């Protein structure tokens, strides 16, 4: 008898994908053997016609493909395809890929023009089919992905905005619905655009991106503000304590912005990808890797804690595959050369126009903004190095072999350095990491007269464990308070903290919920506070936390 949620197969597939990325980085015989055993069990569950979903085995076989809106058959199939491709690329073993192709062929035999119509209630298969097309060259997979996108807005799965079925995709103006589903759908549409050049798709994707990043995204890169439906709210509806901001949604945000970056070459997408990665997604896992958040609030009284597992276990294996896949996000290639998207201690060998180029990054990023990249071509080679200048950086500097580059450096863009590179060449980047106070749009009512602290790509919060002498919700940060950053090697596995002088409200004064306005009501005392990176909160004893800190006067009055 099937046990658990009807889409549990997908979590096994995400685990296999995470294993594949891990094996690609560092081989493990034990992990490989465990993956092979798991893959054997997956394949053993495949029906003769290629169908593979353990929920719809035996007595439920008659119900296959009868409820695309709710039952996640296509969603699970997408994760199987993605896992099989990753595993094949990492190991060269094709048993799981063959099974995934048989299932994909089964699906193309069921759905399409002149066949069964429909579209998935939970997008995922769209991007998987495009990737399968890229691997196999079989255009029917790309065409089926387009078919599912084109069926949106026809009411085939109920016509609700929750399922993003209320309008044809190319007519969408506002990002709505279940956050993970919505952004996974955008991932698939971006992949289709990259293969077909359909400009109507790109125009819709850009509208949705602006809708999300300018009116519906948390300062952490988290998305999906409402517990109701795990969904996007109205414009500027961004509650802090009740923020849903599901870990899987932040991962989807990383995935979509990665695709938009590849499709356009524009650094603004890399900026959002980095923001969501270091903050909205990374907070989903504890520092010891053993516990997880499903939802990620920006304020808490101490009750919200990570768990070892969830009945709906989508987040743990999703975090696993994201972290294991990280090397693939750092660099990419184009016909002109190498693009550096993320800064991290790393070494990579790349084939650039038929020549092997080794890049070695040395850095402590994100704790400081000093990066040194050693460029080691097998012999002298002409190519471009595209370096992302983060949008948060101020007065960045770039040096080649110790000499400042003689060209404009613009934040939020890529700097192209084209030259004949020789072994021993090196590039140095200096991004001063200033402590910045971020303020909200006026329409975000909950954050009036509040600031959030940012240093480099990291968003900070104040947690009770670091501030035992006052309730962190009572903290008031003067606009002229001097803030300092300090490396704490023994705190939270090593973090840079922000500290400074502030005030704390006497919370014992005025026990009534409401009182007549009078200036003597609020009593404050001077305190010193410490803020930590948001991703590291809730790893110690429970207590209040907040990202948005009250300031003494409206930021607009500076």
């Amino acid at each position: 008898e099937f046990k658990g949620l009807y889409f549990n197969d997908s979590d096994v597939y995400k685990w296999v994908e995470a294993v594949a990325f891990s094996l690609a980085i560092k081989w493990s015989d034990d992990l490989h053997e465990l993956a092979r055993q798991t893959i054997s069990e997956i394949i053993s569950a495949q029906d003769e016609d290629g169908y593979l979903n353990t929920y719809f085995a035996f007595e439920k076989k008659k119900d296959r493909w009868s409820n695309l809106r709710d039952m996640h058959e296509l969603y699970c199939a997408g994760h199987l395809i993605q896992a099989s491709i990753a595993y094949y690329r990492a190991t060269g073993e094709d048993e799981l890929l063959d099974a995934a192709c048989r299932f994909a062929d089964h699906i193309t035999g069921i759905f399409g023009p002149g066949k069964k119509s429909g579209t998935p209630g939970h997008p995922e298969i769209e991007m998987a089919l495009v990737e399968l097309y890229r691997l196999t060259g079989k255009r029917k997979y790309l065409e089926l992905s387009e078919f599912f996108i084109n069926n949106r807005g026809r009411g085939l799965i109920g016509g609700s905005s929750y399922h993003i079925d209320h309008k044809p995709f190319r007519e969408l103006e506002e990002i709505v619905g279940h956050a993970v589903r919505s952004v996974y759908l955008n991932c698939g549409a971006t992949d289709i655009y990259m293969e077909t050049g359909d400009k109507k798709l790109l125009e819709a994707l850009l509208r949705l991106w602006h809708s999300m990043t300018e009116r519906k995204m948390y300062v952490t890169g988290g998305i999906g503000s409402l517990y109701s439906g795990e969904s996007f709210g109205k414009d500027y509806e961004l509650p802090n304590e009740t923020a849903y901001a599901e870990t899987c949604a932040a991962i989807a945000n990383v995935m979509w912005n990665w695709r938009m970056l590849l499709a356009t070459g524009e650094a603004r997408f890399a900026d959002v990808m980095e923001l969501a990665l270091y903050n909205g997604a990374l907070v989903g896992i504890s520092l010891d890797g053993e516990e997880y958040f499903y939802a990620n609030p920006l304020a808490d009284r101490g009750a919200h804690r990570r768990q070892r597992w969830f009945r709906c276990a989508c987040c743990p294996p999703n975090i696993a595959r994201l972290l294991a896949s990280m090397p693939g996000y750092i660099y990419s290639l184009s016909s002109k050369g190498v693009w550096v998207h993320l800064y991290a201690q790393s070494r990579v060998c790349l084939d650039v126009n038929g020549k092997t180029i080794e890049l070695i990054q040395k850095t402590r990023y994100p704790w400081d903004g000093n990066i040194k990249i050693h460029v080691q071509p097998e012999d002298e080679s002409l190519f471009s190095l595209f370096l992302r200048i983060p949008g948060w950086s101020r007065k960045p500097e770039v040096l080649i072999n110790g000499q400042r580059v003689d060209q404009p450096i613009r934040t939020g863009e890529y700097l192209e350095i084209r030259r004949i590179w020789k072994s021993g060449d090196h590039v140095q980047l200096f991004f001063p990491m200033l402590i910045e106070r971020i303020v909200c749009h006026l329409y975000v009512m909950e954050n009036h007269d509040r600031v959030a602290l940012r240093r480099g790509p990291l968003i900070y919060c104040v947690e009770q464990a670091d501030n035992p002498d006052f309730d962190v919700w009572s903290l008031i940060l003067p606009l002229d308070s001097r803030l300092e950053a300090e490396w704490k090697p023994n705190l939270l596995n090593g973090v840079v903290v922000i500290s400074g002088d502030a005030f704390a409200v006497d919370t014992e004064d005025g026990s009534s919920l409401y009182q007549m306005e009078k200036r003597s009501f609020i009593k404050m005392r001077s305190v010193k506070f410490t803020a930590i990176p948001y991703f590291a909160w809730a790893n110690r004893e429970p207590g209040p936390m907040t990202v948005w800190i009250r300031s003494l006067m409206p930021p607009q009055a500076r």
Side-chain angles (χ1 to χ4, degrees):
E1 182 181 355
F2 185 94
K3 296 180 181 179
L5 297 172
Y6 51 90
F7 48 82
N8 277 166
D9 285 9
S10 65
D11 296 324
V12 179
Y13 302 148
K14 281 183 279 187
W15 179 86
V16 172
E17 189 177 0
V19 169
F21 292 133
S22 299
L23 292 175
I25 301 163
K26 185 178 181 180
W27 190 263
S28 163
D29 288 338
D30 290 341
L31 195 56
H32 179 230
E33 179 57 30
L34 184 56
R36 286 184 60 84
Q37 292 173 14
T38 306
I39 288 169
S40 177
E41 293 193 16
I42 291 170
I43 294 172
S44 73
Q46 188 163 31
D47 211 338
E48 291 180 359
D49 64 0
Y51 186 93
L52 209 175
N53 188 307
T54 61
Y55 181 81
F56 288 95
F58 308 119
E59 75 281 358
K60 295 188 179 72
K61 187 173 182 178
K62 66 182 185 305
D63 298 323
R64 293 174 181 178
W65 308 126
S66 62
N67 184 354
L68 296 185
R69 186 190 70 182
D70 300 319
M71 296 310 294
H72 288 29
E73 287 168 274
L74 292 171
Y75 169 79
C76 290
H79 276 301
L80 171 62
I81 292 168
Q82 287 182 317
S84 73
I85 293 171
Y87 192 79
Y88 172 72
R89 288 175 171 157
T91 67
E93 298 169 11
D94 59 7
E95 294 90 346
L96 187 62
L97 178 62
D98 288 345
C101 286
R102 289 197 299 274
F103 194 11
D105 290 342
H106 170 88
I107 295 169
T108 58
I110 297 289
F111 297 95
K115 305 170 190 175
K116 185 178 180 67
S117 196
T119 194
H122 196 312
E124 159 66 32
I125 195 170
E126 296 86 348
M127 52 179 152
L129 285 169
V130 176
E131 198 64 26
L132 191 59
Y133 159 70
R134 290 170 176 159
L135 180 68
T136 66
K138 294 182 178 180
R139 194 166 183 85
K140 66 179 181 179
Y141 300 139
L142 174 62
E143 291 171 349
L144 183 59
S145 183
E146 289 184 277
F147 174 80
F148 288 139
I149 291 281
N150 293 340
N151 273 333
R152 295 265 157 196
R154 295 175 54 194
L156 298 176
I157 51 173
S160 74
S161 60
Y162 172 83
H163 294 101
I164 316 97
D165 190 41
H166 57 301
K167 281 185 179 182
F169 187 88
R170 292 165 182 81
E171 297 177 14
L172 293 174
E173 300 282 345
E174 177 187 9
I175 197 161
V176 294
H178 184 280
V180 177
R181 301 180 198 220
S182 185
V183 179
Y184 275 11
L185 178 63
N186 295 347
C187 288
T190 310
D191 281 335
I192 292 172
Y193 163 72
M194 284 192 277
E195 297 302 328
T196 66
D198 184 341
K199 293 193 181 299
K200 291 292 184 182
L201 281 179
L202 180 61
E203 290 168 3
L205 288 162
L206 288 171
R207 290 193 300 269
L208 295 172
W209 189 84
H210 284 290
S211 172
M212 182 184 78
T213 60
E214 295 172 5
R215 298 183 290 280
K216 297 191 179 188
M217 185 175 75
Y218 283 100
V219 71
T220 58
I223 53 174
S225 57
L226 303 183
Y227 268 73
S228 175
E230 303 179 337
S231 60
F232 288 102
K234 299 188 292 287
D235 285 355
Y236 308 109
E237 186 178 11
L238 294 166
N240 293 320
E241 190 177 7
T242 60
Y244 202 69
E246 184 188 342
T247 297
C248 283
I251 294 169
N253 200 7
V254 173
M255 292 166 57
W256 181 30
N257 276 279
W258 169 244
R259 286 164 168 78
M260 292 296 284
L261 168 62
L262 295 180
T264 66
E266 296 180 15
R268 56 179 170 161
F269 301 112
D271 284 342
V272 177
M273 179 178 75
E274 180 183 65
L275 175 71
L277 173 67
Y278 275 105
N279 302 283
L282 194 57
V283 70
I285 187 170
S286 61
L287 295 179
D288 63 9
E290 295 289 336
E291 296 181 328
Y292 300 85
F293 273 147
Y294 196 106
N296 295 282
L298 279 72
D300 182 57
R301 291 303 297 168
H304 191 73
R305 310 301 291 176
R306 293 181 184 86
Q307 300 178 32
R308 290 189 62 83
W309 201 246
F310 298 90
R311 180 172 179 268
C312 177
C314 56
C315 295
N318 219 6
I319 276 282
R321 70 173 183 149
L322 173 72
L323 294 180
S325 70
M326 276 315 304
Y329 290 98
I330 299 175
Y331 306 98
S332 67
L333 295 172
S334 70
S335 59
K336 294 185 70 176
V338 182
W339 296 65
V340 185
H341 305 301
L342 298 175
Y343 297 104
Q345 185 92 353
S346 57
R347 178 191 299 262
V348 66
C349 286
L350 301 166
D351 184 329
V352 181
N353 300 323
K355 293 187 177 181
T356 300
I357 310 295
E358 184 180 41
L359 299 180
I360 302 170
Q361 265 197 67
K362 295 185 180 296
T363 182
R364 293 182 66 249
Y365 194 96
W367 306 123
D368 69 46
N370 301 332
I371 301 117
K372 189 171 186 179
I373 303 176
H374 296 269
V375 183
Q376 297 182 348
E378 58 180 337
D379 49 44
E380 292 187 6
S381 183
L382 173 65
F383 65 91
S384 293
L385 195 61
F386 295 86
L387 303 167
R388 182 173 70 95
I389 310 301
W392 54 260
S393 61
R394 303 289 179 266
K395 297 182 179 180
E397 293 183 53
V398 179
L399 284 67
I400 302 176
N401 298 332
Q403 300 296 315
R404 284 185 173 83
V405 297
D406 186 21
Q407 58 190 97
I409 302 172
R410 299 183 179 91
T411 59
E413 295 186 11
Y414 281 86
L415 173 68
E416 180 184 1
I417 302 174
R418 187 166 184 81
R419 68 196 303 266
I420 296 174
W421 297 90
K422 304 174 184 178
S423 182
D425 285 345
H426 62 270
V427 178
Q428 291 171 278
L429 301 101
F430 299 97
F431 302 135
M433 287 195 169
L434 308 177
I435 301 169
E436 295 188 309
R437 302 166 195 244
I438 308 299
V439 297
C440 249
H441 191 284
L442 185 64
Y443 293 170
V444 183
M445 299 293 290
E446 190 166 337
N447 292 337
H448 278 194
D449 304 340
R450 291 178 181 267
V451 297
L453 300 178
R454 179 179 69 190
R455 183 178 181 272
L458 298 178
I459 301 299
Y460 279 69
C461 68
V462 284
E463 189 176 18
Q464 199 64 52
D466 304 296
N467 302 279
D469 296 332
F470 59 92
D471 189 320
V472 295
W473 277 30
S474 75
L475 189 66
I476 298 179
L477 182 62
L479 293 174
D480 60 353
S481 178
R482 182 181 177 186
L483 302 177
E484 296 181 341
E486 182 182 0
W487 170 248
K488 295 280 190 179
N490 297 319
L491 179 67
L492 298 166
N493 292 353
V495 294
V496 169
V497 302
I498 294 173
S499 59
D501 295 322
F503 296 104
V505 175
D506 184 353
T507 54
E508 298 300 319
D509 183 34
S511 57
S512 299
L513 179 60
Y514 305 107
Q515 293 194 14
M516 294 288 290
E517 181 185 22
K518 54 181 181 179
R519 296 198 177 276
S520 61
F521 172 57
I522 297 179
K523 294 181 180 179
M524 298 184 295
R525 57 190 174 92
S526 297
V527 297
K528 290 190 178 293
F529 80 96
T530 296
I532 62 168
Y534 172 72
F535 77 77
W537 85 277
N539 281 281
R540 297 167 292 179
E541 64 272 17
M545 177 279 297
T546 185
V547 168
W548 290 97
I549 305 169
R550 188 172 284 105
S551 59
L552 273 178
M553 64 182 73
Q556 295 84 354
R558 291 187 197 182

